[in-house]
Amino acid sequence: MVQLENVGFVRKRPGGEQAVILDGVSFCACPSNITGIVGPSGSGKSTLIRLINRLDDPSTGTISLNGDDISTVDPLLLRRKVAMVLQKPFMFEGTVLSNLQRPFLYRNLLPPPAGSDEVVRVISLVRLSPDMLEREARSLSGGEQQRVNLARALISHPEVLLLDEPTSALDRPATDSLATTLREICCREQLVIIIVTHDLRLAERAADYLIYLEQGMIIEEGGVSEMLAVPRTVALQRFLAKPDKEEE
Ligand code: ADP
Ligand code: MG
């Protein structure tokens, strides 16, 4: 379980004055659940998930993973437990298989071959065909590359998967299909999944619990379908009427 308690993040502007990026953010994200974090561009979504794998550290408050304050955990060890998938899939030159073997090379471990349990497990989780393993990773479609990206994150058995705008480079069918796959993965692996997105369609299809962020603060949270059907705050009503399209 990932727990944030009263998390704040302040950034110093070049002029010296302080900008409050996140303010008093508290929530819990549980295993086998997908938490969606939505909000307009600049509301602090990316900053928030960067704090969860210590790409940045909060200015105030605490973040814990299964009860342990993550500020006491070595960032490299933490990132094995807390994997991050970014907007644009990054493919190393070489085959899909060699991309999946990368995390093992970094740790001086023997890379698992194509038929190994590790490789079979992740390509089945992300629904890629085994024939893909010998393909040049950079020649795949955007949706396929995002699946390889996801498989590479899952091969190290993380406990938490953070995704930052994972579908912004994908078309609608690929987005819907990734949402379904994420739901399957979440159930099968009992992972904590947190998805940051301005894409309401992805949030609606993938998430169980939704958090609406604006100007670094949680404005509203609850079950996805209730929140999208009956928003309680004017802020969320406005966002739903005119969602942020800037990054699309
Ligand atoms: P979102 O992901 O919701 O679009 P971000 O977390 O990227 O929002 O950004 C939140 C705020 O922090 C914005 O006002 C943005 O301008 C500012 N910000 C983000 N990254 C940096 C940075 N590296 N330096 C200065 N300000 C930043
Ligand atoms: Mg962002």
Side-chain angles (χ1 to χ4, degrees):
M1 183 174 82
V2 173
Q3 187 163 21
L4 281 78
E5 279 174 282
N6 210 16
V7 168
F9 186 71
V10 173
R11 204 186 275 286
K12 271 217 176 72
R13 290 242 164 84
E17 88 265 37
Q18 305 213 310
V20 177
I21 309 293
L22 293 169
D23 186 11
V25 173
S26 303
F27 69 87
C28 272
C30 300
S32 307
N33 257 283
I34 301 188
T35 303
I37 299 178
V38 296
S41 175
S43 55
K45 305 183 296 297
S46 296
T47 307
L48 182 58
I49 57 165
R50 286 170 57 85
L51 298 178
I52 303 175
N53 75 351
R54 297 202 62 197
L55 288 169
D56 279 311
D57 285 318
S59 314
T60 54
T62 51
I63 302 177
S64 51
L65 173 62
N66 302 326
D68 298 325
D69 182 343
I70 63 166
S71 68
T72 64
V73 182
D74 173 68
L76 291 179
L77 279 179
L78 181 72
R79 285 176 208 143
R80 283 188 203 164
K81 295 184 182 171
V82 183
M84 174 96 106
V85 166
L86 298 175
Q87 186 170 355
K88 294 211 173 73
F90 178 79
M91 295 290 104
F92 294 97
E93 210 173 301
T95 61
V96 169
L97 178 61
S98 76
N99 269 269
L100 298 180
Q101 290 170 333
R102 280 270 166 168
F104 294 84
L105 296 180
Y106 289 143
R107 283 185 231 155
N108 290 323
L109 299 172
L110 222 52
S116 62
D117 290 350
E118 285 100 325
V119 172
V120 170
R121 169 183 155 263
V122 291
I123 60 167
S124 126
L125 276 175
V126 303
R127 299 193 166 278
L128 277 176
S129 143
D131 308 339
M132 288 257 179
L133 289 170
E134 291 313 316
R135 293 266 303 276
E136 191 62 34
R138 290 184 177 168
S139 74
L140 303 181
S141 73
E144 290 163 346
Q145 287 193 18
Q146 196 53 297
R147 282 168 194 273
V148 175
N149 207 20
L150 200 53
R152 195 172 53 204
L154 292 168
I155 205 161
S156 307
H157 292 276
E159 294 171 33
V160 182
L161 187 63
L162 307 172
L163 301 106
D164 192 353
E165 306 278 4
T167 57
S168 59
L170 307 185
D171 60 17
R172 194 175 261 203
T175 294
D176 290 351
S177 150
L178 193 76
T180 309
T181 304
L182 285 169
R183 291 217 57 83
E184 288 169 7
I185 292 171
C186 187
C187 291
R188 278 172 65 181
E189 298 285 290
Q190 282 146 29
L191 273 170
V192 174
I193 299 188
I194 303 178
I195 305 178
V196 155
T197 183
H198 68 287
D199 179 355
L200 288 168
R201 188 178 171 92
L202 172 66
E204 188 172 19
R205 290 179 177 240
D208 303 286
Y209 195 77
L210 197 63
I211 290 174
Y212 178 65
L213 205 68
E214 213 177 272
Q215 294 183 354
M217 288 182 284
I218 296 182
I219 306 291
E220 193 171 331
E221 60 187 301
V224 172
S225 29
E226 302 91 288
M227 240 174 95
L228 295 180
V230 194
R232 297 186 304 274
T233 57
V234 176
L236 181 58
Q237 285 164 12
R238 279 205 195 112
F239 182 74
L240 294 181
K242 199 168 170 283
D244 187 57
K245 299 275 189 220
E246 218 170 296
E247 294 164 65
E248 280 180 348

